Amino acid sequence: MKTALVLTVKNEKRLLRDNMLYHHAIGAHRIYVYFDGTTDGGKASIADLDFVTIQDSVSGDLYAHLPYLEKFTKNAVEHHTARQCLNTYDAIQHCKQDNIDWLISLDADELVCLDFKQQLSFPDFFATVPKEVNAVNFKVYEVLQRKLQYNNVFKEETLFKTTSSFKNRFIAEQKNILNPFTNKNHSFSYWYGQHLGKSALRVSNDIIPKNVHRYKTISGVSLNSISCMALLHYHAYDANDFIKKFKNFKNRANTYLSGNSVDALKLLLRDIVNQPGISTKALEDYYKNYILFSPADVKRLLKNRWGLVFQHKPKLLQEITSVRDVFHSLNSINKN
């Protein structure tokens, strides 16, 4: 049972190599990395890894003859997610040649976690998936942004947010974030990134990307899917990553490929980071004051209460140690 990953990457050198090493350690047979206008030396950082295939994002012209990919080929210039879906489709073709059974599409700031505490492998996990299932949806957990700087967030951070939405606004966890253009504070969810997760697909001639999160069949037959844990999303995990991430967003459209508007918080942070003349120090201070979770915030979230006595279900934060343990194992191997 062979598993592969596909990533579309722009300026992710800081995380990229460790992402590759982690997923290879838990059983990824092959990782296809497509570079999308990267300028930070990311290619060189993984060039020595023999289980990684490196290339640039494919052109929309390559698959323009396929009508079922028209949404992606026609929007490839404007929308990075269209290019990401085309790269995933291209990786599916490689998987067929390489006899890969399962393919997972990820970003460089995402890790698949198969158990919160134990180190489980892809072969062991996918061996338990029923043969009639052709997609596995991984529920997303977002890192708790609680340090201004990390040396290696994959190795160091173990607390993750569990809930991106709440039954009503009275129990929702929120952050007051300053809009410096109006000099007013606004309440936003404590969950900053995507909430749809990512999926693994059973490699097939009939399965194609629906979007960056899910798949569909060319013929229109519904996929037989199951949901599992977990996708760990290290979104804007410290000040440097926050600045890098939203600089990458500078020229991106205000709408998603679906036509829906990009989240208001993401647009605000994009505009803040890309203000002409703003200093790195000013952006670090903004991150510290409005994005970062202070020790008092962390303590409150760990108490898991709303009101005076009620408990959030599921709990707001989950400790996940298996990723850290994988890196400890990798460090031990390298020392020997």
Side-chain angles (χ1 to χ4, degrees), residues 47-160:
D48 63 315
L49 301 178
D50 60 5
F51 54 89
V52 176
T53 299
I54 297 173
Q55 67 180 84
D56 290 328
S57 283
V58 300
S59 167
D61 295 338
L62 181 63
Y63 293 114
H65 62 288
L66 300 176
Y68 48 82
L69 295 180
E70 183 178 16
K71 179 175 72 171
F72 307 132
T73 57
K74 284 192 171 183
N75 291 284
V77 173
E78 181 180 7
H79 288 274
H80 74 284
T81 52
R83 298 191 296 276
Q84 190 171 352
C85 289
L86 289 174
N87 292 339
T88 298
Y89 181 81
D90 191 68
I92 293 171
Q93 312 318 305
H94 289 297
C95 286
K96 295 171 189 175
Q97 298 172 6
D98 296 337
N99 297 314
I100 300 295
D101 300 290
W102 288 91
L103 177 67
I104 309 171
S105 177
L106 298 177
D107 292 332
D109 62 353
E110 296 170 341
L111 301 180
V112 177
C113 174
L114 301 174
D115 190 275
F116 291 150
K117 295 182 179 180
Q118 300 179 36
Q119 299 180 44
L120 297 184
S121 71
F122 284 131
D124 289 342
F125 171 77
F126 283 113
T128 68
V129 176
K131 292 183 179 180
E132 65 272 14
V133 169
N134 46 25
V136 177
N137 302 326
F138 295 107
K139 179 184 184 302
V140 65
Y141 292 74
E142 183 177 283
V143 74
L144 186 67
Q145 298 87 353
R146 59 172 172 158
K147 288 179 66 174
L148 193 61
Q149 300 292 344
Y150 288 87
N151 291 320
N152 187 313
V153 69
F154 293 157
K155 299 178 184 179
E156 298 170 37
E157 188 53 71
T158 59
L159 285 182
F160 292 81

Side-chain angles (χ1 to χ4, degrees), residues 241-260:
D241 190 67
F242 164 72
I243 295 169
K244 179 271 303 176
K245 179 175 291 295
F246 288 100
K247 282 187 179 296
N248 280 352
F249 288 173
K250 180 178 180 180
N251 297 316
R252 292 184 181 174
N254 291 344
T255 58
Y256 294 113
L257 188 58
S258 64
N260 294 329

Side-chain angles (χ1 to χ4, degrees), residues 20 24 97 143 163 249 305:
M20 305 291 99
H24 185 60
Q97 298 172 6
V143 74
T163 306
F249 288 173
R305 292 179 182 169

